[in-house]
Coordinates of all heavy atoms in Angstrom, one line a residue:
M120 N 0.9 -1.2 0.0 CA 0.0 0.0 0.0 C 0.9 1.2 0.0 O 1.7 1.4 0.9 CB -0.9 0.0 1.2 CG -1.7 1.2 1.5 SD -3.0 1.6 0.3 CE -4.0 0.1 0.2
E121 N 0.7 2.1 -1.0 CA 1.5 3.3 -1.1 C 0.9 4.4 -0.2 O -0.3 4.6 -0.2 CB 1.5 3.8 -2.5 CG 2.4 5.1 -2.7 CD 2.4 5.6 -4.1 OE1 1.8 4.9 -5.0 OE2 2.8 6.7 -4.3
F122 N 1.7 5.0 0.6 CA 1.3 6.1 1.5 C 1.3 7.4 0.7 O 2.4 7.8 0.2 CB 2.2 6.2 2.8 CG 1.8 7.3 3.7 CD1 0.6 7.3 4.4 CD2 2.7 8.3 3.9 CE1 0.3 8.3 5.3 CE2 2.4 9.4 4.8 CZ 1.2 9.3 5.5
K123 N 0.2 8.1 0.7 CA 0.2 9.4 0.1 C -0.2 10.5 1.1 O -1.3 10.4 1.7 CB -0.8 9.4 -1.1 CG -0.4 8.4 -2.2 CD -1.4 8.5 -3.4 CE -1.1 7.5 -4.4 NZ -2.1 7.5 -5.5
N124 N 0.6 11.4 1.3 CA 0.4 12.5 2.3 C 0.2 13.8 1.5 O 1.2 14.3 1.0 CB 1.5 12.5 3.3 CG 1.3 13.6 4.3 OD1 0.3 14.1 4.5 ND2 2.5 14.0 4.9
K125 N -0.9 14.4 1.5 CA -1.2 15.7 1.0 C -1.4 16.8 2.0 O -2.2 17.7 1.8 CB -2.3 15.7 0.0 CG -2.0 14.9 -1.3 CD -3.0 15.0 -2.4 CE -2.6 14.3 -3.6 NZ -3.5 14.5 -4.7
T126 N -0.8 16.6 3.2 CA -0.9 17.6 4.3 C 0.5 18.2 4.6 O 1.4 17.8 4.0 CB -1.4 16.9 5.6 OG1 -0.3 16.1 6.1 CG2 -2.6 16.0 5.4
K127 N 0.4 19.2 5.5 CA 1.7 19.7 6.0 C 2.4 18.9 7.0 O 3.5 19.2 7.4 CB 1.4 21.1 6.5 CG 0.5 21.1 7.7 CD 0.3 22.5 8.3 CE -0.6 22.3 9.5 NZ -0.7 23.5 10.3
F128 N 1.7 17.8 7.4 CA 2.3 17.0 8.5 C 3.3 16.1 8.0 O 3.3 15.5 7.0 CB 1.1 16.1 9.1 CG 0.0 16.9 9.7 CD1 -1.3 16.6 9.3 CD2 0.2 18.0 10.5 CE1 -2.4 17.3 9.8 CE2 -0.9 18.7 11.1 CZ -2.2 18.3 10.7
E129 N 4.4 15.9 8.9 CA 5.4 15.0 8.6 C 5.2 13.7 9.3 O 4.9 13.7 10.5 CB 6.8 15.6 9.1 CG 8.0 14.7 8.7 CD 9.3 15.4 9.0 OE1 9.4 16.7 8.8 OE2 10.2 14.7 9.5
F130 N 5.2 12.6 8.7 CA 4.9 11.3 9.2 C 6.2 10.5 9.4 O 7.1 10.5 8.5 CB 4.0 10.5 8.3 CG 2.5 10.9 8.5 CD1 2.1 12.0 7.8 CD2 1.6 10.2 9.2 CE1 0.8 12.5 7.9 CE2 0.3 10.6 9.3 CZ -0.1 11.8 8.6
N131 N 6.4 9.8 10.5 CA 7.5 9.0 10.8 C 7.2 7.5 10.6 O 6.0 7.1 10.7 CB 7.9 9.1 12.3 CG 8.4 10.5 12.6 OD1 9.3 11.0 11.9 ND2 7.8 11.2 13.5
D132 N 8.2 6.8 10.2 CA 8.1 5.4 9.9 C 8.0 4.5 11.2 O 8.9 4.6 12.0 CB 9.2 4.9 9.0 CG 9.2 3.5 8.7 OD1 8.4 2.7 9.2 OD2 10.0 3.0 7.8
I133 N 6.9 3.9 11.4 CA 6.8 3.0 12.6 C 6.4 1.6 12.2 O 5.8 0.8 12.9 CB 5.7 3.6 13.6 CG1 4.3 3.7 12.9 CG2 6.1 4.9 14.2 CD1 3.2 3.9 13.9
S134 N 7.0 1.2 11.0 CA 6.6 -0.1 10.4 C 7.3 -1.3 11.2 O 7.0 -2.4 10.9 CB 7.1 -0.2 9.0 OG 8.5 0.1 8.8
T135 N 8.1 -1.0 12.2 CA 8.7 -2.1 13.0 C 7.7 -2.6 14.0 O 7.9 -3.6 14.6 CB 9.9 -1.6 13.8 OG1 9.6 -0.5 14.6 CG2 11.0 -1.1 12.8
E136 N 6.5 -1.9 14.2 CA 5.5 -2.3 15.2 C 4.6 -3.3 14.6 O 4.1 -3.1 13.4 CB 4.7 -1.1 15.7 CG 5.6 -0.1 16.4 CD 4.8 1.2 16.8 OE1 3.6 1.2 16.8 OE2 5.5 2.1 17.3
K137 N 4.2 -4.3 15.3 CA 3.2 -5.3 14.9 C 1.8 -4.7 15.2 O 0.9 -4.8 14.4 CB 3.3 -6.6 15.7 CG 4.4 -7.5 15.2 CD 4.5 -8.7 16.1 CE 3.9 -9.8 15.3 NZ 4.0 -11.1 16.0
W138 N 1.7 -4.0 16.3 CA 0.5 -3.3 16.7 C 0.8 -2.2 17.7 O 1.9 -2.2 18.2 CB -0.6 -4.3 17.3 CG -0.1 -5.1 18.4 CD1 0.3 -6.4 18.3 CD2 0.0 -4.7 19.8 NE1 0.7 -6.8 19.6 CE2 0.5 -5.8 20.5 CE3 -0.3 -3.6 20.5 CZ2 0.7 -5.8 21.9 CZ3 -0.1 -3.6 21.9 CH2 0.4 -4.7 22.5
R139 N -0.1 -1.3 17.9 CA -0.1 -0.3 19.0 C -1.5 -0.1 19.5 O -2.5 -0.3 18.9 CB 0.5 1.1 18.5 CG -0.3 1.8 17.5 CD 0.3 3.2 17.2 NE 1.7 3.3 17.3 CZ 2.4 4.3 17.9 NH1 1.7 5.4 18.3 NH2 3.7 4.4 18.0
K140 N -1.5 0.1 20.8 CA -2.7 0.1 21.6 C -2.8 1.3 22.4 O -1.9 1.7 23.2 CB -2.8 -1.2 22.5 CG -4.1 -1.3 23.1 CD -4.3 -2.7 23.9 CE -3.1 -3.5 24.1 NZ -3.4 -4.7 24.9
Y141 N -3.9 2.1 22.3 CA -4.2 3.3 23.1 C -5.3 3.0 24.1 O -6.4 2.4 23.7 CB -4.7 4.4 22.1 CG -3.7 4.9 21.2 CD1 -3.6 4.3 19.9 CD2 -2.9 6.0 21.4 CE1 -2.7 4.7 19.0 CE2 -2.0 6.5 20.5 CZ -1.9 5.8 19.2 OH -1.0 6.3 18.3
K142 N -5.0 3.3 25.3 CA -6.0 3.0 26.4 C -6.5 4.4 26.9 O -5.7 5.3 27.2 CB -5.4 2.3 27.6 CG -6.4 1.9 28.6 CD -5.7 1.0 29.7 CE -6.7 0.7 30.8 NZ -6.0 -0.1 31.8
F143 N -7.8 4.5 27.0 CA -8.5 5.8 27.4 C -8.9 5.7 28.9 O -9.0 4.6 29.5 CB -9.7 6.0 26.6 CG -9.4 6.4 25.2 CD1 -9.0 5.4 24.2 CD2 -9.3 7.7 24.8 CE1 -8.7 5.8 22.9 CE2 -8.9 8.1 23.5 CZ -8.6 7.1 22.6
V144 N -9.1 6.8 29.5 CA -9.5 7.0 30.9 C -10.7 6.1 31.2 O -10.8 5.5 32.3 CB -9.8 8.4 31.3 CG1 -10.3 8.6 32.7 CG2 -8.5 9.2 31.1
D145 N -11.7 6.0 30.3 CA -12.9 5.3 30.6 C -12.8 3.8 30.4 O -13.7 3.0 30.5 CB -14.1 5.8 29.7 CG -13.9 5.5 28.2 OD1 -12.8 4.9 27.9 OD2 -14.7 5.9 27.4
G146 N -11.5 3.3 30.1 CA -11.2 1.9 30.0 C -11.3 1.4 28.5 O -10.9 0.3 28.2
S147 N -11.8 2.2 27.6 CA -11.9 1.8 26.2 C -10.5 1.7 25.6 O -9.6 2.4 26.1 CB -12.8 2.7 25.4 OG -12.3 4.0 25.4
V148 N -10.3 0.9 24.6 CA -9.0 0.7 24.0 C -9.1 0.8 22.5 O -10.1 0.3 21.9 CB -8.5 -0.7 24.4 CG1 -7.2 -1.1 23.6 CG2 -8.2 -0.8 25.9
V149 N -8.2 1.3 21.8 CA -8.1 1.4 20.4 C -6.8 0.6 20.0 O -5.7 1.0 20.5 CB -8.0 2.8 19.8 CG1 -7.7 2.7 18.4 CG2 -9.3 3.5 20.1
K150 N -6.9 -0.5 19.3 CA -5.7 -1.3 18.9 C -5.6 -1.2 17.4 O -6.6 -1.5 16.6 CB -5.8 -2.7 19.3 CG -4.6 -3.5 19.0 CD -4.7 -4.9 19.6 CE -3.5 -5.7 19.3 NZ -3.6 -7.1 19.9
I151 N -4.4 -0.8 16.9 CA -4.1 -0.7 15.5 C -3.1 -1.7 15.1 O -2.0 -1.7 15.6 CB -3.6 0.8 15.1 CG1 -4.7 1.8 15.5 CG2 -3.3 0.9 13.7 CD1 -4.2 3.2 15.5
K152 N -3.4 -2.6 14.2 CA -2.5 -3.7 13.7 C -1.7 -3.1 12.6 O -2.2 -2.5 11.7 CB -3.3 -4.9 13.3 CG -4.1 -5.6 14.4 CD -4.9 -6.7 13.9 CE -5.6 -7.4 15.1 NZ -6.4 -8.5 14.6
N153 N -0.5 -3.5 12.6 CA 0.5 -3.2 11.5 C 0.6 -1.7 11.1 O 0.4 -1.4 10.0 CB 0.2 -4.0 10.2 CG 0.4 -5.5 10.5 OD1 1.4 -5.9 11.0 ND2 -0.7 -6.3 10.2
P154 N 0.8 -0.9 12.1 CA 0.9 0.5 11.8 C 2.2 0.8 11.0 O 3.2 0.2 11.2 CB 1.0 1.2 13.2 CG 1.6 0.2 14.1 CD 1.1 -1.2 13.5
L155 N 2.1 1.8 10.0 CA 3.3 2.1 9.2 C 3.8 3.5 9.4 O 5.0 3.7 9.4 CB 2.9 1.9 7.7 CG 2.4 0.5 7.3 CD1 2.0 0.6 5.8 CD2 3.5 -0.5 7.5
K156 N 2.9 4.4 9.5 CA 3.3 5.8 9.6 C 2.6 6.5 10.7 O 1.4 6.2 11.1 CB 2.9 6.5 8.3 CG 3.5 6.0 7.1 CD 4.9 6.4 7.0 CE 5.6 5.9 5.6 NZ 7.0 6.3 5.5
L157 N 3.3 7.5 11.4 CA 2.7 8.2 12.5 C 3.1 9.6 12.5 O 4.2 10.0 12.2 CB 3.3 7.6 13.8 CG 3.1 8.4 15.1 CD1 1.6 8.3 15.5 CD2 4.0 7.9 16.2
H158 N 2.1 10.5 12.7 CA 2.3 11.9 13.0 C 1.7 12.2 14.4 O 0.5 11.9 14.6 CB 1.6 12.8 12.0 CG 1.7 14.2 12.3 ND1 2.8 15.0 12.2 CD2 0.7 15.1 12.9 CE1 2.5 16.2 12.6 NE2 1.3 16.3 13.1
V159 N 2.5 12.9 15.2 CA 2.0 13.3 16.6 C 1.8 14.8 16.6 O 2.7 15.5 16.2 CB 3.0 12.9 17.6 CG1 2.6 13.4 19.0 CG2 3.3 11.4 17.6
S160 N 0.6 15.2 16.9 CA 0.3 16.7 17.0 C -0.1 17.0 18.5 O -0.3 16.1 19.2 CB -0.7 17.1 16.1 OG -2.0 16.6 16.4
E161 N -0.3 18.2 18.8 CA -0.8 18.6 20.1 C -2.3 18.1 20.3 O -2.8 18.1 21.5 CB -0.7 20.0 20.3 CG -1.2 20.9 19.3 CD -0.9 22.4 19.4 OE1 0.3 22.7 19.6 OE2 -1.8 23.2 19.4
N162 N -3.0 17.7 19.3 CA -4.3 17.2 19.4 C -4.5 15.7 19.4 O -5.6 15.2 19.8 CB -5.2 17.8 18.2 CG -5.3 19.3 18.3 OD1 -5.4 19.9 19.4 ND2 -5.2 19.9 17.1
G163 N -3.5 15.0 19.0 CA -3.6 13.6 19.0 C -2.6 12.9 18.0 O -1.6 13.5 17.5
H164 N -2.8 11.6 17.7 CA -2.0 10.9 16.8 C -2.7 10.6 15.5 O -3.9 10.2 15.6 CB -1.5 9.5 17.4 CG -0.6 9.7 18.5 ND1 0.1 8.6 19.1 CD2 -0.1 10.8 19.1 CE1 0.9 9.1 20.0 NE2 0.9 10.4 20.1
R165 N -2.0 10.7 14.4 CA -2.5 10.2 13.1 C -1.7 9.0 12.7 O -0.5 9.0 12.7 CB -2.4 11.3 12.1 CG -3.4 12.4 12.3 CD -3.1 13.6 11.4 NE -4.0 14.6 11.5 CZ -4.1 15.5 12.5 NH1 -3.2 15.5 13.5 NH2 -5.1 16.4 12.6
V166 N -2.3 7.9 12.4 CA -1.6 6.6 12.1 C -2.2 6.0 10.8 O -3.4 6.0 10.6 CB -1.9 5.6 13.3 CG1 -1.1 4.3 13.0 CG2 -1.4 6.1 14.6
F167 N -1.3 5.6 10.0 CA -1.6 4.9 8.8 C -1.2 3.5 8.9 O 0.0 3.2 9.2 CB -0.9 5.6 7.5 CG -1.2 4.9 6.2 CD1 -2.4 5.1 5.6 CD2 -0.2 4.1 5.6 CE1 -2.7 4.5 4.4 CE2 -0.4 3.5 4.4 CZ -1.7 3.7 3.8
D168 N -2.1 2.5 8.6 CA -1.7 1.1 8.7 C -1.5 0.4 7.4 O -1.8 0.9 6.4 CB -2.7 0.4 9.7 CG -4.1 0.1 9.1 OD1 -4.2 0.0 7.8 OD2 -5.1 -0.1 9.8
A169 N -1.0 -0.9 7.5 CA -0.8 -1.6 6.3 C -2.0 -2.0 5.4 O -1.8 -2.4 4.3 CB 0.0 -2.9 6.7
S170 N -3.2 -1.9 6.1 CA -4.4 -2.2 5.3 C -4.9 -1.0 4.5 O -5.9 -1.0 3.8 CB -5.5 -2.7 6.3 OG -5.1 -3.9 6.9
G171 N -4.1 0.1 4.7 CA -4.5 1.4 4.0 C -5.6 2.2 4.8 O -6.1 3.1 4.2
I172 N -5.7 1.8 6.0 CA -6.7 2.5 6.9 C -6.0 3.7 7.6 O -4.9 3.5 8.1 CB -7.3 1.6 7.9 CG1 -8.0 0.4 7.3 CG2 -8.3 2.4 8.9 CD1 -9.1 0.8 6.4
S173 N -6.6 4.9 7.6 CA -6.1 6.0 8.3 C -6.8 6.1 9.6 O -8.0 6.0 9.6 CB -6.3 7.3 7.4 OG -5.6 7.2 6.2
H174 N -6.0 6.3 10.7 CA -6.6 6.4 12.0 C -6.3 7.8 12.7 O -5.2 8.3 12.4 CB -6.1 5.4 12.9 CG -6.2 4.0 12.4 ND1 -7.3 3.2 12.8 CD2 -5.4 3.2 11.6 CE1 -7.1 2.0 12.2 NE2 -6.0 2.0 11.5
Y175 N -7.2 8.3 13.4 CA -6.9 9.5 14.2 C -7.3 9.2 15.7 O -8.4 8.9 16.0 CB -7.7 10.7 13.7 CG -7.4 12.0 14.6 CD1 -6.2 12.6 14.5 CD2 -8.3 12.5 15.4 CE1 -5.9 13.7 15.3 CE2 -8.1 13.6 16.2 CZ -6.8 14.2 16.1 OH -6.6 15.3 16.9
V176 N -6.3 9.3 16.6 CA -6.6 9.0 18.0 C -6.4 10.3 18.7 O -5.3 10.8 18.9 CB -5.6 8.0 18.5 CG1 -5.9 7.7 20.0 CG2 -5.6 6.7 17.7
P177 N -7.5 10.9 19.2 CA -7.4 12.2 19.8 C -6.8 12.1 21.2 O -6.8 11.1 21.8 CB -8.9 12.7 19.9 CG -9.7 11.4 19.9 CD -8.9 10.4 19.1
L178 N -6.4 13.3 21.7 CA -5.9 13.4 23.0 C -6.9 12.9 24.1 O -8.1 12.9 23.8 CB -5.5 14.8 23.4 CG -4.2 15.4 22.8 CD1 -4.0 16.8 23.3 CD2 -3.1 14.4 23.1
G179 N -6.5 12.5 25.2 CA -7.4 11.9 26.2 C -7.1 10.5 26.5 O -7.6 10.0 27.6
W180 N -6.3 9.9 25.7 CA -5.9 8.5 26.1 C -4.8 8.6 27.3 O -4.1 9.6 27.4 CB -5.3 7.7 25.0 CG -4.4 8.4 24.0 CD1 -4.8 9.3 23.0 CD2 -3.0 8.5 24.1 NE1 -3.7 9.8 22.4 CE2 -2.5 9.3 23.0 CE3 -2.1 7.9 24.9 CZ2 -1.2 9.5 22.8 CZ3 -0.7 8.1 24.6 CH2 -0.3 8.9 23.6
I181 N -4.8 7.5 28.0 CA -3.9 7.5 29.2 C -2.7 6.6 29.1 O -1.8 6.6 29.9 CB -4.7 7.2 30.5 CG1 -5.3 5.8 30.4 CG2 -5.7 8.2 30.8 CD1 -5.8 5.3 31.7
H182 N -2.7 5.7 28.1 CA -1.6 4.7 27.9 C -1.5 4.3 26.5 O -2.4 4.1 25.8 CB -2.0 3.5 28.8 CG -0.9 2.5 28.8 ND1 -1.1 1.2 28.2 CD2 0.4 2.4 29.2 CE1 0.0 0.5 28.3 NE2 0.9 1.2 28.9
L183 N -0.2 4.2 26.0 CA 0.0 3.8 24.7 C 1.0 2.6 24.8 O 2.0 2.7 25.5 CB 0.6 4.9 23.8 CG 1.3 4.5 22.5 CD1 0.3 3.9 21.5 CD2 2.0 5.7 21.9
S184 N 0.7 1.5 24.1 CA 1.6 0.3 24.1 C 1.8 -0.2 22.7 O 0.9 0.1 21.9 CB 1.2 -0.7 25.1 OG -0.1 -1.2 24.7
W185 N 2.9 -0.9 22.4 CA 3.0 -1.5 21.1 C 3.9 -2.7 21.2 O 4.6 -2.9 22.1 CB 3.6 -0.5 20.1 CG 4.9 0.1 20.4 CD1 6.2 -0.4 20.1 CD2 5.2 1.2 21.2 NE1 7.2 0.3 20.6 CE2 6.6 1.4 21.3 CE3 4.4 2.2 21.8 CZ2 7.2 2.4 21.9 CZ3 5.0 3.2 22.4 CH2 6.4 3.3 22.6
K186 N 3.8 -3.5 20.1 CA 4.7 -4.7 20.0 C 5.4 -4.6 18.7 O 4.8 -4.4 17.7 CB 3.9 -6.0 20.1 CG 4.7 -7.2 20.0 CD 3.9 -8.5 20.3 CE 4.7 -9.7 20.1 NZ 5.7 -9.9 21.2
T187 N 6.7 -4.7 18.7 CA 7.5 -4.7 17.5 C 7.6 -6.0 16.8 O 7.4 -7.1 17.4 CB 8.9 -4.2 17.8 OG1 9.6 -5.0 18.7 CG2 8.9 -2.7 18.4
K188 N 7.9 -6.0 15.6 CA 8.1 -7.2 14.8 C 9.5 -7.8 15.3 O 10.4 -7.1 15.8 CB 8.2 -6.9 13.3 CG 6.9 -6.4 12.8 CD 7.0 -5.9 11.4 CE 5.6 -5.3 11.0 NZ 5.7 -4.7 9.6
E189 N 9.6 -9.1 15.2 CA 10.8 -9.8 15.7 C 12.0 -9.2 15.0 O 12.1 -9.0 13.8 CB 10.7 -11.3 15.4 CG 11.8 -12.1 16.0 CD 11.4 -13.6 16.1 OE1 10.3 -14.0 16.2 OE2 12.4 -14.4 16.1
G190 N 13.0 -9.0 15.9 CA 14.3 -8.5 15.4 C 14.4 -7.0 15.2 O 15.4 -6.4 14.8
Q191 N 13.3 -6.3 15.4 CA 13.2 -4.8 15.1 C 13.4 -4.0 16.4 O 13.2 -4.6 17.5 CB 11.9 -4.4 14.5 CG 11.6 -5.1 13.1 CD 12.6 -4.6 12.1 OE1 13.0 -3.4 12.0 NE2 13.1 -5.5 11.3
A192 N 13.8 -2.8 16.3 CA 14.0 -1.9 17.4 C 12.7 -1.7 18.2 O 11.7 -1.6 17.6 CB 14.5 -0.6 17.0
H193 N 12.8 -1.7 19.5 CA 11.6 -1.4 20.3 C 11.2 0.0 20.4 O 10.1 0.3 20.6 CB 11.9 -2.0 21.8 CG 12.0 -3.5 21.8 ND1 13.3 -4.1 21.9 CD2 11.1 -4.5 21.6 CE1 13.1 -5.4 21.8 NE2 11.8 -5.7 21.7
F194 N 12.2 0.9 20.2 CA 11.9 2.3 20.2 C 12.6 2.9 19.0 O 13.8 2.6 18.8 CB 12.4 3.0 21.5 CG 11.5 2.7 22.6 CD1 11.9 1.6 23.5 CD2 10.4 3.4 23.0 CE1 11.1 1.3 24.6 CE2 9.6 3.1 24.1 CZ 10.0 2.1 24.9
V195 N 11.9 3.7 18.2 CA 12.5 4.3 17.0 C 12.5 5.8 17.1 O 13.1 6.5 16.3 CB 11.9 3.9 15.7 CG1 12.1 2.4 15.5 CG2 10.3 4.2 15.7
Q196 N 11.8 6.4 18.1 CA 11.7 7.9 18.3 C 11.6 8.1 19.7 O 11.0 7.5 20.5 CB 10.6 8.5 17.6 CG 10.7 8.4 16.1 CD 10.6 9.8 15.4 OE1 10.0 10.7 16.0 NE2 11.2 9.9 14.3

């Protein structure tokens, strides 16, 4: 899937992650499988995944976790 960005936002490569999970104060969770690109703003995170789905996770979450692919760096930024 080719990533096309027509915004002013700069996206970082997070393709080493198998998934990332955002946990909110109310206990709800957003899990994104195979994330590829990430932009962090003061309002939230924009994530593009390997299925071609674009996600926006607004501020208000209390925890972020992820699992990297085997042999990949656990932190890239």
